[in-house]
């Protein structure tokens, strides 16, 4: 059901063209909010916007930007809302560069840091003066941040520490900052061809609910933390993994 004009919020979703980001963007748009999706792949963003417009009759604004590039972020600011009610930091990926020795190791660790940490930090810091007084920042990380996962898990864990600081800085103005940490989620680009039927069955067996996640599962968690009703929750990590890893 569409929101009344007074309740319509400006939503910015990074990595909104596919997978979890697309599901988050669609949910907000279905609820009647103004949604802007940000990503570095122009074709993917525009294809997603056109698909949602044709299938659902909903308008979403695409903004092409490499969120790990500060010059690109600065250039994109003029295309983003003057007031941001919800920022969802979803952009990220795993560095696939493989090389021998310290140079290969550096490429992997630097790539994961840039793709997962800088893509959240640069846009959040650039928009922080635009957050409304009851704004929401929700950052999507991974179960790998909690149980280990090499350079990728370390980069996601860095976002947990950053979020604690961000929550303390923005809390006095009423802005909450929280994390959603998904487990295995099918229907995204992350696993590529590795998530075949056998692997899906194996991973489903590690959960308590007998299945892997879907993008819509994570979107529901993001929407809860972004809701007006969640204004007394901040600095938290919400696991969304079907019991694959239990909370502490």
């Amino acid at each position: 059901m569409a929101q009344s004009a007074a309740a319509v919020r400006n939503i910015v979703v990074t990595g909104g063209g596919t997978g979890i980001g697309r599901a988050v963007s669609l949910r907000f748009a279905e609820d009647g909010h103004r949604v802007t999706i940000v990503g570095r792949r122009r074709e993917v963003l525009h294809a997603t916007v056109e698909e949602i417009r044709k299938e659902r009759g909903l308008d979403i604004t695409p903004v092409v930007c490499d969120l790990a590039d500060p010059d690109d972020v600065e250039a994109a600011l003029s295309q983003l809302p003057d007031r941001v009610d919800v920022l969802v930091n979803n952009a990220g990926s795993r560095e696939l560069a493989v090389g021998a020795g310290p140079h290969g190791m550096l490429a992997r660790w630097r790539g994961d840091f840039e793709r997962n940490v800088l893509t959240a930090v640069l846009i959040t810091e650039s928009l922080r003066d635009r957050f409304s007084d009851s704004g929401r920042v929700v950052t999507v990380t991974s179960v790998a941040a909690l149980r280990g996962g090499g350079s990728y898990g370390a980069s996601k864990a860095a976002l947990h520490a950053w979020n604690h600081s961000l929550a303390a800085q923005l809390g006095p103005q009423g802005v909450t900052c929280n994390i959603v940490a998904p487990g295995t989620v099918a229907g995204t680009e992350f696993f590529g061809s590795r998530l075949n039927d056998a692997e899906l069955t194996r991973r489903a067996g590690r959960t308590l609910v007998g299945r892997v996640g879907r993008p819509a599962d994570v979107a529901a968690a993001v929407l809860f933390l972004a809701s007006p009703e969640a204004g007394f929750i901040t600095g938290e990590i919400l696991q969304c993994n079907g019991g694959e890893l239990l909370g502490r």
Side-chain angles (χ1 to χ4, degrees):
M1 179 180 297
Q3 301 283 337
S4 66
V8 173
R9 297 189 292 171
N10 292 325
I11 317 294
V12 176
V13 181
T14 71
T18 62
I20 292 171
R22 183 188 186 282
V24 170
S25 303
L26 182 57
R27 282 291 307 274
F28 276 118
E30 287 176 334
D31 285 348
H33 300 296
R34 289 183 291 265
V35 179
T36 301
I37 59 174
V38 186
R40 59 188 173 85
R41 294 180 295 174
R42 180 183 301 274
E43 297 80 6
V44 170
L45 287 183
H46 285 271
T48 296
V49 167
E50 186 61 24
E51 181 182 277
I52 291 175
R53 181 179 294 122
K54 284 184 177 180
E55 293 182 1
R56 307 294 182 100
L58 300 170
D59 285 324
I60 292 177
T61 302
V63 174
V64 180
C65 175
D66 181 351
L67 291 162
D69 183 337
D71 292 330
D72 240 27
V73 172
E74 285 188 340
L77 291 177
S78 62
Q79 303 174 66
L80 298 176
D82 292 333
R83 189 193 80 249
V84 176
D85 299 295
V86 178
L87 170 63
V88 180
N89 289 312
N90 170 73
S93 62
R94 182 167 51 183
E95 175 57 63
L96 298 177
V98 176
H103 290 288
M105 186 68 68
L106 176 62
R108 181 178 296 278
W109 279 77
R110 177 176 286 164
D112 276 332
F113 187 86
E114 290 178 353
R115 292 168 183 259
N116 296 296
V117 180
L118 293 185
T119 50
V121 173
L122 294 182
I123 190 66
T124 303
E125 292 298 325
S126 297
L127 292 177
R128 62 187 298 166
D129 291 338
R130 303 188 188 188
F131 293 144
S132 60
D133 290 343
S134 57
R136 304 280 185 264
V137 179
V138 183
T139 301
V140 179
T141 64
S142 169
V143 68
L146 300 166
R147 70 178 181 198
S151 55
Y152 174 76
S155 68
K156 292 296 191 180
L159 291 172
H160 292 186
W162 168 70
N163 185 72
H164 290 327
S165 299
L166 191 69
Q169 294 165 8
L170 298 182
Q173 70 185 67
V175 177
T176 67
C177 306
N178 291 290
I179 297 283
V180 175
T184 301
V185 178
T188 74
E189 298 179 333
F190 183 79
F191 294 100
S193 60
R194 295 181 297 120
L195 206 59
N196 54 29
D197 288 344
E199 183 65 9
L200 279 171
T201 299
R202 186 184 75 83
R203 288 174 178 263
R206 299 193 312 203
T207 73
L208 300 183
V209 298
R211 69 171 177 87
V212 300
R214 300 179 289 260
D217 295 318
V218 185
V222 170
L223 260 72
F224 165 65
L225 290 174
S227 69
E229 292 79 9
F232 202 56
I233 301 172
T234 194
E236 293 294 333
I237 300 169
L238 175 58
Q239 296 195 55
C240 184
N241 59 40
E244 182 179 349
L245 180 67
L246 297 180
R248 298 291 188 269

